[in-house]
């Protein structure tokens, strides 16, 4: 590649590309994507494929005239997953591997590390990892919900250089191109803010579960980890030819100049908070430098139920989100502390239990 110097990329392909007619997998759009993967690998670029489509691929095996319950959709995913893997596998003369994930796997630090190790080992041995959300077993509590955000989490876990999200439009436009003929494609985004989200609108594919908003969310996750992110038209063969020629065929989101460290990025963008700790918001120092001085009497409220080691959201009493952190104590104990607010008691507790949260396991958030 001339302009882009990648060692490892994550490519996200949606349901509309896998099964455009919802009648099983189709090679109509997958062939050019598969050729892109083959050509990348031939140039020494490692590829990780995040592929939606199991439900769409398996839907034709079930009655279309009946209401599709959650259980039926899970069954579609189970049946369609094997069909989808077979569809990808027939394009390649190298081995591939299936990895099915839930958010529960990603938000648990030990399982997250295990996922990283598995991906790295597969890549080291020339095996193409093909990743999808495990729709068959996941519940609402454990769902990522869309493979755009899943692909960003995977890109972070895999220390990728670039994330490429395939869409049904050429990239991000200043307004919905399906509704406005004068919509203008934005070739480069330096910073994602509210104005960028406003442009995303709420358009969604008739087949997929994501929309432009989830792609922007994914781009925000990835770029904060130093990962260059593209939104591309996966339906056009020339998209992938232009990438291989070093050109930008869609919208490129530039990475942070100072990316988050891996552990901080995981806690910010992948770990989900299991509860909240509301504290007095009159800290004179940043929370990451002051967390060891967070005293029990500064706890205003404990929300939710969480155990030692869970990720919690620390919020000031004016509603400002301060940080996501590892809880050193359970919600039960912290509730007991908060209900006994006397200074004497708090000082005694502080002396005996140590820091409530540790500055070694904290991700400071932008004020919101």
């Amino acid at each position: 590649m001339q302009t882009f110097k990648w060692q490892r990329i994550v490519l996200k392909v949606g349901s509309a590309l896998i099964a455009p007619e919802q009648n099983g997998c189709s090679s109509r759009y997958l062939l050019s994507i598969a050729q892109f993967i083959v050509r990348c690998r031939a140039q020494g670029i490692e590829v990780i494929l995040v592929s939606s489509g199991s439900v769409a691929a398996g839907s034709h095996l079930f009655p279309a005239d009946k209401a599709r319950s959650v259980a039926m959709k899970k069954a579609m995913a189970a049946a369609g997953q094997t069909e989808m893997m077979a569809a990808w596998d027939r394009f390649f003369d190298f081995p591939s591997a299936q990895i099915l994930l839930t958010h529960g796997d990603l938000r648990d630090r030990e399982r997250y590390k295990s996922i990283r190790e598995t991906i790295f080992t597969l890549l080291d041995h020339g095996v193409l990892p093909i990743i999808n959300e495990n729709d068959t077993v996941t519940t609402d509590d454990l769902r990522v919900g869309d493979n755009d955000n899943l692909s960003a989490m995977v890109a972070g876990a895999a220390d990728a250089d670039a994330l490429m999200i395939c869409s049904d439009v050429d990239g991000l436009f200043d307004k919905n191109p399906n509704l406005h003929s004068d919509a203008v494609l934005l070739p480069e985004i330096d910073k994602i803010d509210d104005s960028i989200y406003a442009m995303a609108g709420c358009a969604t594919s008739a087949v997929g579960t994501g929309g432009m908003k989830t792609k922007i969310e994914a781009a925000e996750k990835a770029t904060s980890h130093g990962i260059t992110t593209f939104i591309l038209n996966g339906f056009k063969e020339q998209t992938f030819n232009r990438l291989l020629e070093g050109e930008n065929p869609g919208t490129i989101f530039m990475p942070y100049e100072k990316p988050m460290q891996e552990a901080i990025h995981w806690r910010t963008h992948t770990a989900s908070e299991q509860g909240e700790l509301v504290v007095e918001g009159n800290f004179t120092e940043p929370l990451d430098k002051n967390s060891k001085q967070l005293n029990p009497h500064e706890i205003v409220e404990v929300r939710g139920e969480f155990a030692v080691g869970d990720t919690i959201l620390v919020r000031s009493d004016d509603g400002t989100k301060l940080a996501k952190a590892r809880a050193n104590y359970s919600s039960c104990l912290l509730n007991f502390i908060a209900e006994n607010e006397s200074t004497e008691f708090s000082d005694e507790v502080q002396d005996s239990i140590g820091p409530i949260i540790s500055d070694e396991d904290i991700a400071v958030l932008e004020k919101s």
Side-chain angles (χ1 to χ4, degrees), residues 17-20 24-34 87 90-91:
L17 291 164
I18 299 288
C25 295
S26 170
S27 61
R28 187 193 317 174
Y29 303 116
L30 299 190
L31 181 58
S32 59
I33 298 172
R90 73 173 183 264
F91 291 118

mmCIF file of all heavy atoms in Angstrom, residues 17-20 24-34 87 90-91:
data_model
loop_
_atom_site.group_PDB
_atom_site.id
_atom_site.type_symbol
_atom_site.label_atom_id
_atom_site.label_comp_id
_atom_site.label_asym_id
_atom_site.label_seq_id
_atom_site.Cartn_x
_atom_site.Cartn_y
_atom_site.Cartn_z
ATOM 1 N N LEU A 17 -24.695 -7.350 3.431
ATOM 2 C CA LEU A 17 -23.709 -7.857 2.486
ATOM 3 C C LEU A 17 -23.671 -9.374 2.472
ATOM 4 O O LEU A 17 -23.425 -9.992 1.436
ATOM 5 C CB LEU A 17 -22.324 -7.298 2.831
ATOM 6 C CG LEU A 17 -22.112 -5.806 2.596
ATOM 7 C CD1 LEU A 17 -20.876 -5.314 3.328
ATOM 8 C CD2 LEU A 17 -22.007 -5.512 1.107
ATOM 9 N N ILE A 18 -23.915 -9.976 3.625
ATOM 10 C CA ILE A 18 -23.873 -11.434 3.752
ATOM 11 C C ILE A 18 -25.084 -12.072 3.083
ATOM 12 O O ILE A 18 -24.965 -13.015 2.294
ATOM 13 C CB ILE A 18 -23.833 -11.844 5.240
ATOM 14 C CG1 ILE A 18 -22.581 -11.281 5.926
ATOM 15 C CG2 ILE A 18 -23.912 -13.364 5.384
ATOM 16 C CD1 ILE A 18 -21.305 -11.943 5.520
ATOM 17 N N ALA A 19 -26.264 -11.589 3.420
ATOM 18 C CA ALA A 19 -27.518 -12.185 2.940
ATOM 19 C C ALA A 19 -28.462 -11.070 2.489
ATOM 20 O O ALA A 19 -29.444 -10.770 3.162
ATOM 21 C CB ALA A 19 -28.157 -13.033 4.034
ATOM 22 N N PRO A 20 -28.184 -10.463 1.343
ATOM 23 C CA PRO A 20 -28.965 -9.289 0.915
ATOM 24 C C PRO A 20 -30.447 -9.573 0.687
ATOM 25 O O PRO A 20 -31.278 -8.678 0.831
ATOM 26 C CB PRO A 20 -28.271 -8.865 -0.386
ATOM 27 C CG PRO A 20 -27.509 -10.065 -0.845
ATOM 28 C CD PRO A 20 -27.104 -10.778 0.406
ATOM 29 N N GLY A 24 -30.505 -16.918 2.748
ATOM 30 C CA GLY A 24 -29.226 -17.592 2.800
ATOM 31 C C GLY A 24 -28.102 -16.688 2.339
ATOM 32 O O GLY A 24 -28.320 -15.561 1.868
ATOM 33 N N CYS A 25 -26.872 -17.166 2.467
ATOM 34 C CA CYS A 25 -25.706 -16.363 2.103
ATOM 35 C C CYS A 25 -25.588 -16.226 0.590
ATOM 36 O O CYS A 25 -25.944 -17.131 -0.165
ATOM 37 C CB CYS A 25 -24.442 -17.003 2.664
ATOM 38 S SG CYS A 25 -24.368 -17.024 4.468
ATOM 39 N N SER A 26 -25.059 -15.096 0.167
ATOM 40 C CA SER A 26 -24.872 -14.817 -1.254
ATOM 41 C C SER A 26 -23.440 -14.345 -1.478
ATOM 42 O O SER A 26 -22.877 -13.619 -0.656
ATOM 43 C CB SER A 26 -25.854 -13.734 -1.713
ATOM 44 O OG SER A 26 -25.538 -13.282 -3.009
ATOM 45 N N SER A 27 -22.865 -14.760 -2.602
ATOM 46 C CA SER A 27 -21.501 -14.335 -2.933
ATOM 47 C C SER A 27 -21.479 -13.023 -3.722
ATOM 48 O O SER A 27 -20.407 -12.552 -4.096
ATOM 49 C CB SER A 27 -20.805 -15.430 -3.748
ATOM 50 O OG SER A 27 -21.502 -15.652 -4.974
ATOM 51 N N ARG A 28 -22.654 -12.431 -3.948
ATOM 52 C CA ARG A 28 -22.757 -11.251 -4.806
ATOM 53 C C ARG A 28 -21.792 -10.148 -4.379
ATOM 54 O O ARG A 28 -21.085 -9.557 -5.195
ATOM 55 C CB ARG A 28 -24.181 -10.715 -4.805
ATOM 56 C CG ARG A 28 -24.402 -9.584 -5.799
ATOM 57 C CD ARG A 28 -25.709 -8.853 -5.592
ATOM 58 N NE ARG A 28 -26.823 -9.747 -5.321
ATOM 59 C CZ ARG A 28 -28.041 -9.319 -4.995
ATOM 60 N NH1 ARG A 28 -28.271 -8.018 -4.846
ATOM 61 N NH2 ARG A 28 -29.011 -10.180 -4.757
ATOM 62 N N TYR A 29 -21.758 -9.861 -3.074
ATOM 63 C CA TYR A 29 -20.902 -8.793 -2.566
ATOM 64 C C TYR A 29 -19.675 -9.325 -1.818
ATOM 65 O O TYR A 29 -18.705 -8.590 -1.631
ATOM 66 C CB TYR A 29 -21.698 -7.886 -1.635
ATOM 67 C CG TYR A 29 -22.931 -7.292 -2.274
ATOM 68 C CD1 TYR A 29 -24.206 -7.608 -1.805
ATOM 69 C CD2 TYR A 29 -22.838 -6.423 -3.356
ATOM 70 C CE1 TYR A 29 -25.345 -7.073 -2.394
ATOM 71 C CE2 TYR A 29 -23.970 -5.887 -3.953
ATOM 72 C CZ TYR A 29 -25.224 -6.214 -3.466
ATOM 73 O OH TYR A 29 -26.338 -5.696 -4.054
ATOM 74 N N LEU A 30 -19.743 -10.577 -1.421
ATOM 75 C CA LEU A 30 -18.662 -11.115 -0.588
ATOM 76 C C LEU A 30 -17.394 -11.399 -1.377
ATOM 77 O O LEU A 30 -16.295 -11.378 -0.815
ATOM 78 C CB LEU A 30 -19.127 -12.398 0.115
ATOM 79 C CG LEU A 30 -20.323 -12.274 1.063
ATOM 80 C CD1 LEU A 30 -20.502 -13.571 1.852
ATOM 81 C CD2 LEU A 30 -20.148 -11.095 2.009
ATOM 82 N N LEU A 31 -17.528 -11.665 -2.664
ATOM 83 C CA LEU A 31 -16.351 -12.037 -3.453
ATOM 84 C C LEU A 31 -15.306 -10.929 -3.460
ATOM 85 O O LEU A 31 -14.117 -11.185 -3.230
ATOM 86 C CB LEU A 31 -16.764 -12.383 -4.885
ATOM 87 C CG LEU A 31 -15.624 -12.812 -5.819
ATOM 88 C CD1 LEU A 31 -14.896 -14.030 -5.251
ATOM 89 C CD2 LEU A 31 -16.164 -13.107 -7.222
ATOM 90 N N SER A 32 -15.725 -9.689 -3.697
ATOM 91 C CA SER A 32 -14.752 -8.585 -3.742
ATOM 92 C C SER A 32 -14.148 -8.335 -2.366
ATOM 93 O O SER A 32 -12.972 -7.969 -2.252
ATOM 94 C CB SER A 32 -15.411 -7.311 -4.272
ATOM 95 O OG SER A 32 -16.506 -6.931 -3.463
ATOM 96 N N ILE A 33 -14.941 -8.554 -1.312
ATOM 97 C CA ILE A 33 -14.426 -8.392 0.054
ATOM 98 C C ILE A 33 -13.400 -9.473 0.351
ATOM 99 O O ILE A 33 -12.330 -9.202 0.920
ATOM 100 C CB ILE A 33 -15.579 -8.423 1.071
ATOM 101 C CG1 ILE A 33 -16.537 -7.253 0.818
ATOM 102 C CG2 ILE A 33 -15.043 -8.384 2.498
ATOM 103 C CD1 ILE A 33 -17.800 -7.299 1.645
ATOM 104 N N ALA A 34 -13.710 -10.708 -0.051
ATOM 105 C CA ALA A 34 -12.779 -11.815 0.166
ATOM 106 C C ALA A 34 -11.479 -11.605 -0.602
ATOM 107 O O ALA A 34 -10.382 -11.887 -0.089
ATOM 108 C CB ALA A 34 -13.434 -13.135 -0.246
ATOM 109 N N ALA A 87 -19.753 -20.035 3.955
ATOM 110 C CA ALA A 87 -19.713 -19.089 2.838
ATOM 111 C C ALA A 87 -18.371 -18.373 2.772
ATOM 112 O O ALA A 87 -17.781 -18.222 1.689
ATOM 113 C CB ALA A 87 -20.847 -18.075 2.977
ATOM 114 N N ARG A 90 -15.223 -20.853 1.809
ATOM 115 C CA ARG A 90 -15.029 -21.329 0.442
ATOM 116 C C ARG A 90 -14.244 -20.344 -0.424
ATOM 117 O O ARG A 90 -13.772 -20.692 -1.510
ATOM 118 C CB ARG A 90 -16.374 -21.656 -0.198
ATOM 119 C CG ARG A 90 -17.235 -20.466 -0.570
ATOM 120 C CD ARG A 90 -18.480 -20.928 -1.363
ATOM 121 N NE ARG A 90 -19.314 -19.822 -1.802
ATOM 122 C CZ ARG A 90 -20.382 -19.384 -1.153
ATOM 123 N NH1 ARG A 90 -20.737 -19.981 -0.008
ATOM 124 N NH2 ARG A 90 -21.097 -18.378 -1.619
ATOM 125 N N PHE A 91 -14.096 -19.097 0.063
ATOM 126 C CA PHE A 91 -13.338 -18.105 -0.697
ATOM 127 C C PHE A 91 -11.832 -18.199 -0.444
ATOM 128 O O PHE A 91 -11.049 -17.621 -1.203
ATOM 129 C CB PHE A 91 -13.793 -16.688 -0.329
ATOM 130 C CG PHE A 91 -15.178 -16.330 -0.797
ATOM 131 C CD1 PHE A 91 -16.163 -16.013 0.120
ATOM 132 C CD2 PHE A 91 -15.489 -16.305 -2.148
ATOM 133 C CE1 PHE A 91 -17.433 -15.668 -0.300
ATOM 134 C CE2 PHE A 91 -16.763 -15.962 -2.581
ATOM 135 C CZ PHE A 91 -17.742 -15.648 -1.657
#
